[in-house]
C-alpha cells in the first residue's frame, strides 16, 4: 500500500526539481531597455478635432451618453483674449455658439466642460449628477532634442545606463523619471515617478536627466511655444507600472 502511495509522490517531486531551475531562470530573465516617451494629459485634444467636433463624444472619446436620461445643462468654458467665456446647452450635441467659442479659444489654454444630468436608472427619484473634465490642447509640433533623437539616447546611455548596475532590475521592475521641457527648451520639474528600488541608481538617472543639453520647445501651429512632459523608462518595459503612465495616443 505504501509503495503505491510513495511512487506518485516521488514522481511529482522529481518533476518539480526538474522544472524548478528553468522556471526560476525564465521568471528572472527579461529584455533590459531604456526609452523616452511623451506623456499625455488626461484628456488631450488637437486643434483639428476641436474644429471638427459636433458632440461631446467628439471632444472626449471616453464620454458615455448612455449614462444620461435627461440633460440639465452642458457648460463649456473657454478662454478668449484672457477672459472666461461660458456657453451653455441642454444636449450632448454642440450648439453653434459652443462650436464658435471652441474654435476661437486662446491657443494652448485648457477647455473646461461640466455636464449636469439626470442619470439613466430605475430609481423612483433622481438626483442631479455631474461629469467634469478638462480638455488640454496639445501642440502641433512636439519638443525635440536639439541634436536629434539618436544623440539624446546616446547621452542617456553614456550618462545613465552605462553607469548603473543592471542587475538591480528584476523581471517586471522598472524606474521612471518624469520631466518637463519648458518654453525655453530647458529641463524642469524632473522627479522620480517610479523608483528602481535603489537610491544610487535613482540618483544617477535623475542626474542624467538634469544634465541633458537643451531641447527645441514644443510649439502650436501659430508658433507659440509651450511646455511638454516626458518620461525616461529604464528596466523591464513589460512592468505593470507602465500602465500608471499616460503614454496613450489620441
Amino acid at each position: 500500500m505504501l509503495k503505491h502511495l510513495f511512487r506518485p509522490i516521488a514522481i511529482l517531486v522529481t518533476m518539480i526539481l526538474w522544472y524548478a531551475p528553468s522556471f526560476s531562470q525564465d521568471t528572472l530573465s527579461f529584455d533590459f531597455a531604456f526609452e523616452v516617451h511623451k506623456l499625455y494629459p488626461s484628456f488631450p485634444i488637437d486643434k483639428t478635432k476641436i474644429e471638427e467636433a459636433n458632440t461631446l463624444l467628439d471632444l472626449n472619446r471616453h464620454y458615455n451618453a448612455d449614462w444620461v436620461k435627461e440633460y440639465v445643462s452642458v457648460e463649456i468654458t473657454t478662454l478668449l483674449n484672457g477672459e472666461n467665456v461660458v456657453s451653455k446647452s441642454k444636449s450632448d450635441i454642440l450648439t453653434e455658439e459652443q462650436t464658435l467659442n471652441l474654435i476661437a479659444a486662446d491657443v494652448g489654454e485648457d477647455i473646461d466642460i461640466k455636464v449636469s444630468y439626470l442619470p439613466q436608472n430605475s430609481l423612483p427619484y433622481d438626483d442631479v449628477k455631474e461629469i467634469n473634465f478638462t480638455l488640454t490642447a496639445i501642440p502641433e509640433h512636439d519638443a525635440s532634442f536639439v541634436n536629434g533623437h539618436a544623440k539624446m539616447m546616446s547621452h542617456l546611455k553614456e550618462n545613465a545606463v552605462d553607469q548603473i548596475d543592471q542587475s538591480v532590475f528584476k523581471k517586471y521592475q522598472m524606474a521612471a523619471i518624469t520631466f518637463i521641457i519648458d518654453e525655453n527648451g530647458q529641463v524642469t520639474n524632473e522627479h522620480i515617478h517610479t523608483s528602481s528600488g535603489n537610491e544610487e541608481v535613482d540618483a544617477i538617472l535623475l542626474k542624467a536627466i538634469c544634465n541633458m543639453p537643451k531641447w527645441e520647445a514644443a510649439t502650436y501651429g501659430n508658433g507659440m511655444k509651450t511646455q511638454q512632459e516626458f518620461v525616461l523608462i529604464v528596466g523591464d518595459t513589460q512592468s505593470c507600472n507602465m500602465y500608471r503612465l499616460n503614454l496613450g495616443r489620441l
Side-chain angles (χ1 to χ4, degrees):
M1 178 71 177
L2 289 175
K3 288 183 179 180
H4 292 296
L5 179 62
F6 286 137
R7 181 174 177 80
I9 294 176
I11 294 173
L12 178 61
V13 170
T14 301
M15 291 177 64
I16 292 173
L17 292 174
W18 177 266
Y19 287 109
S22 59
F23 177 78
S24 176
Q25 185 177 12
D26 289 343
T27 56
L28 293 177
S29 63
F30 66 95
D31 293 328
F32 180 88
F34 68 103
E35 304 171 352
V36 174
H37 293 275
K38 177 174 61 177
L39 290 178
Y40 285 84
S42 298
F43 299 100
I45 191 167
D46 60 34
K47 186 172 178 59
T48 300
K49 286 193 174 182
I50 291 176
E51 292 174 346
E52 297 176 350
N54 293 308
T55 67
L56 292 180
L57 182 61
D58 293 334
L59 295 173
N60 176 3
R61 61 188 176 91
H62 300 290
Y63 181 75
N64 191 344
D66 292 340
W67 295 343
V68 179
K69 179 171 70 176
E70 180 183 342
Y71 285 94
V72 177
S73 67
V74 175
E75 297 183 7
I76 298 181
T77 303
T78 55
L79 210 63
L80 181 60
N81 298 322
E83 299 290 334
N84 280 331
V85 176
V86 181
S87 47
K88 299 181 180 181
S89 70
K90 290 188 176 183
S91 169
D92 60 330
I93 300 173
L94 303 179
T95 66
E96 182 178 0
E97 179 188 15
Q98 288 173 329
T99 300
L100 291 175
N101 286 343
L102 285 167
I103 295 174
D106 293 350
V107 174
E109 297 297 336
D110 288 345
I111 298 166
D112 295 320
I113 297 179
K114 181 174 73 172
V115 180
S116 299
Y117 67 100
L118 297 176
Q120 192 73 260
N121 58 44
S122 57
L123 295 176
Y125 60 90
D126 289 322
D127 292 328
V128 175
K129 305 292 184 182
E130 278 190 6
I131 298 174
N132 295 276
F133 56 92
T134 298
L135 301 174
T136 301
I138 61 171
E140 282 86 340
H141 306 288
D142 293 333
S144 59
F145 197 70
V146 169
N147 295 316
H149 182 77
K151 286 289 186 181
M152 175 184 67
M153 299 306 286
S154 177
H155 165 84
L156 292 173
K157 183 178 187 302
E158 179 181 345
N159 295 280
V161 177
D162 290 348
Q163 305 298 320
I164 63 177
D165 179 5
Q166 295 184 13
S167 67
V168 166
F169 295 91
K170 307 303 179 186
K171 191 173 178 66
Y172 303 130
Q173 184 181 5
M174 56 167 265
I177 311 296
T178 59
F179 59 97
I180 288 175
I181 302 300
D182 68 13
E183 294 86 343
N184 298 313
Q186 302 292 342
V187 175
T188 63
N189 290 39
E190 61 284 345
H191 72 277
I192 300 168
H193 180 280
T194 304
S195 173
S196 66
N198 183 291
E199 290 185 4
E200 183 178 351
V201 169
D202 288 347
I204 291 172
L205 297 177
L206 201 56
K207 182 179 179 182
I209 292 296
C210 293
N211 292 337
M212 270 200 299
K214 190 175 180 180
W215 289 47
E216 290 286 351
T219 57
Y220 289 101
N222 65 355
M224 187 180 82
K225 296 181 178 181
T226 185
Q227 66 179 24
Q228 197 167 37
E229 190 172 15
F230 292 83
V231 61
L232 166 65
I233 298 167
V234 179
D236 186 1
T237 55
Q238 299 303 310
S239 169
C240 60
N241 284 322
M242 290 286 286
Y243 297 103
R244 297 170 56 195
L245 298 163
N246 195 359
L247 307 177
R249 298 291 175 179
L250 292 176

